[in-house]
Amino acid sequence: MGVIRIRHQSFFGTFRTTFGEIMSTTPTQVPSGPQRMTPSEAFVETMVARGVKTMFGIMGSAFMDAMDIFAPAGITLIPVVHEQGAGHMADGYARVSGRHGVVIGQNGPGISNCVTSIAAAFWAHSPVVIITPETGTMGMGLGGFQEANQLPMFQEFTKYQGHVNNPKRMAEYTGRVFDRAISEMGPTQLNIPRDYFYGEITCEIPAEQKIERGAGGENSLNEAAELLATAKFPVILSGGGVVMGDAVAECQALAERLGAPVVTGYLRNDAFPASHPLWAGPLGYQGSKAAMKLIAQADVVVALGSRMGPFGTLPQHGLDYWPKEAKIIQVEADHTNLGLVKKISVGICGDAKAAAKAITARLAGKALACDATKDARAKTIADEKAEWEKELDEWTHERDAYSLDMIEEAKGEKPFSGGEYLHPRQVLRELEKAMPKRVMVSTDIGNINSVANSYLRFDEPRSFFAPMSFGNCGYALPTIMGAKCAAPDRPAIAYAGDGAWAMSMVEIMTAVRHNIPVTAVVFHNRQWGAEKKNQVDFYNRRFVAGELESESFAGMAKAMGAEGIVVDKLEDVGAALKKAVDMQMNEGKTCVIEIMCTRELGDPFRRDALAKPVRLLDKYKDFV
C-alpha cells in the first residue's frame, strides 16, 4: 500500500480505504527470537511491533534503504511539502489516536525544519517520535554535505534521545524511543548515522513495554479526600492529563459527587463535556468568564492532570480570578510538576484516571460539607454560564478607531460583491452554531484564533488541538491533517489567521495529493492582529510591519486543487461551514473558507510581558 498506488485511485474512495486500512490492519507478524537481518529490517520491524502504520515526512537518501520496505511492512509514509508540517501532522495523529505519531526526514536541513513542531508537541505532551538519520560516521566532523549535530537541536524539546552507536543496537534503540515516548508523555528522538542502515546483524525485535500507572500514594489520596470532605465550594480544574489518560468519565464522577463546577485548562477545552451542567468553560487567555468567576469562589481546587501553567492562569477580562486562599490538590503523573507553578496543599503523583477514581471511592458514603450547598451551587453555576452566554451573544462592542476606518473604506468600495468586513466575534459565534457532531478543531496562534477559545466547546475528548504555550504559527492546518489521518470518520476543521495561514497553507497540496480531506477557516483581516494590539496599547499606534495585504486565500486554495469559499456576509458563515464539511465527509474534498474580517483587536495577548516605553536618547523622545 504505497504512496504511488494512492495517487492512481479514486479521490475519496482512496482516502476511505487507505486510511481505514492503516488504522485497522493487524501488523505483520514480527519475528520472534534472534534473527539474521539488516539494520533497516530491524528498524522497520521494531516499528511494526509498536503498531506504526503511518509516518509523515519527506523522502531522503539518508534513510532510503529502510523506506524501500515500508510498504511491505504495512507502513505508509505520507510526504509533505515542508518538514515542520510533518511534525505537526505527527502531533495531531498522536493526540487523536493516543499512539505514536512518527516523523522522519533527510539529515541536516530536513531534520532542522522539524524543531518548531517538535517543540509544540513537547508542550502538548504528545508521544511523537522524530527519526533523524544523520551524516555517515566516516564523514562526521568534516563539514560534508548536509552535516549537522542533530542531538543538541532537540535536546530541550524531547523526553529521551536515542543515538544508534552501533548497527547491532538498531532494534534496541528503536524500541526504547518508542516506549519512552509513551511512558514519558512527550516527544523522543531516534538519531541514526545513515551508514548504519546497511550490513547484516543478528538481533531480536524487542516487545513493547507498557507502563501501568497507579492512583498515587495512600497518604496523599487520603489527605485529598479529607480536604475535600471539608470543602464548601470545591472546583475541579480538568487538564490535559484527563484527556491523555482517558479520565473524563472519572473526572465527571468526582464532579458529580462534589457538585463541583469543572473548569478546563488553557486550550484544553475538550477535557470535560460542554453539555454537562457542571461544565463552566476554559481558563486562560480569552477563556470563559463563568469559569473564572466560579474558580474565584473556590476554597478547594482539584487540579486534575494539570500543571496549572503560568500563561493559563493569568488575569483575563479584567478579572484576577485565581483564588488566593484556596487549598489546591494537584494530581500529576509527572512528579516534577507538583507545586511547580502554584503552591499546593496536597500533591498526588499518579494517573488522573486512577486518582480521580480513588478519591471518589474515598468520598462514597461520607457526609461532605459541600452537600448542604449543592443545589445553591448548581444555581450559581447555571447563572454564571447564562450571563456569559448572553455576553458572548452581544459582544460586538469592540470598535477600534483604526478598524472603523477600514470598515468605512470597505463599505465605500464594496470590494466583496457588496459584502462587508465581518466582526470576528460574530463570525466565531456563527461557526460555533454550525459545528458538526464529533468535530475535531485545531487553532493556530493569533488574535482571532485566541478569541475562539471562548466559543469552542466539545463533548468528546481528543477533539481540540492548539500549539499550547509554545505558541507557534503554522500549526493548525498540518495538525488537523494528522488528526484526520488518525480519525478519518470525524469532521476535521482548522482555524487560522492570514499571517499564520501563510506559513502552512502549502500543505493544502499535501491534503489534495494524498486524499486527506479537511476544512480550513481562514480569518482574513490583513494584519498581525495580536502584535498590532500591542502597538495600539503601548506604542501610540505606531504600526510597524503589521500589514498583510494579500490575494484571495480561497483563490490560492483552488489553484492547489482544493475548493475555496469567500464569505463576506454574516448570514453565510454557518452555511459555508456546513457546505465545506459536507464536501469533506461525503465527497472527500478539502475546502478553504476565507472569511473577510474587520480589523477589530481583542485584549492584548501579552499584557504580562509589556510595559510602556521609556526613551532616553533625544532622537527618540517623541516615541513614547
Side-chain angles (χ1 to χ4, degrees), residues 128-143:
V128 171
V129 175
I130 179 167
I131 299 164
T132 59
E134 72 169 2
T135 301
T137 55
M138 295 305 293
M140 291 180 182
L142 302 180

Side-chain angles (χ1 to χ4, degrees), residues 227-470:
L227 188 55
L228 284 170
T230 64
K232 296 180 179 178
F233 202 107
V235 175
I236 295 175
L237 168 54
S238 184
V242 172
V243 176
M244 292 177 284
D246 297 320
V248 172
E250 288 71 20
C251 177
Q252 181 175 322
L254 178 59
E256 290 170 351
R257 173 64 190 92
L258 296 169
V262 180
V263 304
T264 56
Y266 177 58
L267 299 177
R268 295 295 189 181
N269 301 35
D270 56 348
F272 199 77
S275 60
H276 196 284
L278 293 175
W279 169 85
L283 297 180
Y285 182 65
Q286 293 293 341
S288 162
K289 281 189 182 180
M292 296 170 192
K293 290 179 179 179
L294 288 165
I295 200 171
Q297 301 177 54
D299 56 352
V300 176
V301 174
V302 181
L304 188 60
S306 173
R307 66 186 183 92
M308 297 176 286
F311 190 71
T313 54
L314 283 174
Q316 184 65 198
H317 304 307
L319 302 173
D320 188 5
Y321 57 85
W322 189 260
K324 305 298 187 295
E325 304 300 325
K327 304 292 186 181
I328 299 176
I329 301 166
Q330 186 180 14
V331 180
E332 254 286 350
D334 183 352
H335 71 94
T336 64
N337 282 332
L338 291 173
L340 180 65
V341 181
K342 300 292 185 184
K343 181 181 178 181
I344 62 176
S345 299
V346 179
I348 300 172
C349 181
D351 173 71
K353 183 174 186 174
K357 188 175 181 179
I359 294 171
T360 304
R362 282 165 169 77
L363 298 176
K366 287 187 176 182
L368 309 181
C370 60
D371 288 342
T373 55
K374 185 177 285 190
D375 291 342
R377 195 163 47 256
K379 184 178 186 307
T380 299
I381 296 168
D383 289 348
E384 291 290 2
K385 288 165 60 174
E387 183 179 340
W388 175 233
E389 293 303 317
K390 183 175 184 295
E391 185 172 354
L392 287 178
D393 284 335
E394 299 172 354
W395 198 335
T396 59
H397 58 264
E398 291 148 326
R399 283 293 182 266
D400 184 84
Y402 182 66
S403 182
L404 278 173
D405 292 342
M406 297 306 300
I407 295 171
E408 291 165 0
E409 177 185 341
K411 287 183 177 178
E413 295 180 359
K414 297 191 182 301
F416 308 118
S417 303
E420 298 181 0
Y421 290 109
L422 307 179
H423 191 287
R425 283 189 176 273
Q426 290 179 303
V427 169
L428 291 167
R429 198 59 153 171
E430 293 302 310
L431 290 169
E432 175 199 336
K433 294 175 184 176
M435 282 290 169
K437 293 181 178 179
R438 304 199 67 220
V439 68
M440 302 181 292
V441 179
S442 64
T443 58
D444 229 296
I445 198 68
N447 193 267
I448 297 177
N449 293 282
S450 296
V451 172
N453 193 27
S454 297
Y455 300 87
L456 291 169
R457 296 97 186 278
F458 305 93
D459 278 332
E460 185 174 345
R462 302 188 184 277
S463 297
F464 183 45
F465 321 106
M468 310 309 295
S469 54
F470 197 62

Side-chain angles (χ1 to χ4, degrees), residues 190-210:
L190 178 61
N191 199 61
I192 311 170
R194 59 186 295 160
D195 52 318
Y196 282 6
F197 286 100
Y198 301 92
E200 294 184 16
I201 60 173
T202 298
C203 72
E204 183 172 1
I205 304 302
E208 183 175 11
Q209 292 185 356
K210 296 184 178 180

Side-chain angles (χ1 to χ4, degrees), residues 50-71:
R50 298 305 183 274
V52 175
K53 300 171 187 173
T54 305
M55 300 171 66
F56 304 92
I58 295 180
M59 64 178 296
S61 61
F63 62 99
M64 194 164 285
D65 189 67
M67 185 175 68
D68 185 55
I69 58 173
F70 283 175

Side-chain angles (χ1 to χ4, degrees), residues 364-597:
K366 287 187 176 182
L368 309 181
C370 60
D371 288 342
T373 55
K374 185 177 285 190
D375 291 342
R377 195 163 47 256
K379 184 178 186 307
T380 299
I381 296 168
D383 289 348
E384 291 290 2
K385 288 165 60 174
E387 183 179 340
W388 175 233
E389 293 303 317
K390 183 175 184 295
E391 185 172 354
L392 287 178
D393 284 335
E394 299 172 354
W395 198 335
T396 59
H397 58 264
E398 291 148 326
R399 283 293 182 266
D400 184 84
Y402 182 66
S403 182
L404 278 173
D405 292 342
M406 297 306 300
I407 295 171
E408 291 165 0
E409 177 185 341
K411 287 183 177 178
E413 295 180 359
K414 297 191 182 301
F416 308 118
S417 303
E420 298 181 0
Y421 290 109
L422 307 179
H423 191 287
R425 283 189 176 273
Q426 290 179 303
V427 169
L428 291 167
R429 198 59 153 171
E430 293 302 310
L431 290 169
E432 175 199 336
K433 294 175 184 176
M435 282 290 169
K437 293 181 178 179
R438 304 199 67 220
V439 68
M440 302 181 292
V441 179
S442 64
T443 58
D444 229 296
I445 198 68
N447 193 267
I448 297 177
N449 293 282
S450 296
V451 172
N453 193 27
S454 297
Y455 300 87
L456 291 169
R457 296 97 186 278
F458 305 93
D459 278 332
E460 185 174 345
R462 302 188 184 277
S463 297
F464 183 45
F465 321 106
M468 310 309 295
S469 54
F470 197 62
N472 67 285
C473 292
Y475 172 91
L477 174 63
T479 300
I480 207 64
M481 289 170 60
K484 184 70 174 182
C485 290
D489 59 321
R490 297 182 63 184
I493 300 172
Y495 280 9
D498 41 11
W501 176 251
M503 292 189 182
S504 62
M505 65 180 180
V506 288
E507 298 300 346
I508 288 291
M509 289 194 290
T510 302
V512 172
R513 287 168 175 166
H514 304 294
N515 309 320
I516 309 171
V518 296
T519 300
V521 179
V522 183
F523 304 101
H524 192 165
N525 63 355
R526 299 144 287 135
Q527 64 186 1
W528 287 108
E531 299 304 338
K532 283 186 71 176
K533 179 60 173 177
N534 292 328
Q535 292 173 331
V536 168
D537 288 354
F538 293 90
Y539 296 97
N540 199 26
R541 298 180 176 274
R542 292 189 294 274
F543 299 119
V544 180
E547 309 305 322
L548 292 175
E549 297 293 343
S550 64
E551 299 300 320
S552 170
F553 293 118
M556 295 178 199
K558 292 178 180 179
M560 288 186 278
E563 300 295 319
I565 302 173
V566 177
V567 176
D568 56 9
K569 296 182 179 66
L570 188 63
E571 60 268 26
D572 294 340
V573 172
L577 184 64
K578 290 178 180 179
K579 179 179 179 180
V581 170
D582 181 71
M583 287 192 289
Q584 176 192 149
M585 301 305 296
N586 296 316
E587 302 176 46
K589 292 182 178 180
T590 289
C591 182
V592 173
I593 303 172
E594 180 180 14
I595 298 183
M596 310 309 296
C597 292

Side-chain angles (χ1 to χ4, degrees), residues 73-155:
I75 297 172
T76 297
L77 173 62
I78 298 177
V80 301
V81 177
H82 190 276
E83 290 90 351
Q84 179 178 329
H88 287 317
M89 290 179 201
D91 185 3
Y93 187 95
R95 291 178 70 174
V96 171
S97 68
R99 296 290 302 161
H100 305 96
V102 187
V103 55
I104 192 168
Q106 177 67 7
N107 61 249
I111 297 308
S112 65
N113 282 345
C114 294
V115 172
T116 293
S117 50
I118 296 302
F122 178 84
W123 287 109
H125 307 287
S126 293
V128 171
V129 175
I130 179 167
I131 299 164
T132 59
E134 72 169 2
T135 301
T137 55
M138 295 305 293
M140 291 180 182
L142 302 180
F145 185 64
Q146 296 183 329
E147 181 181 354
N149 191 354
Q150 297 177 171
L151 290 169
M153 294 182 193
F154 298 95
Q155 183 174 359

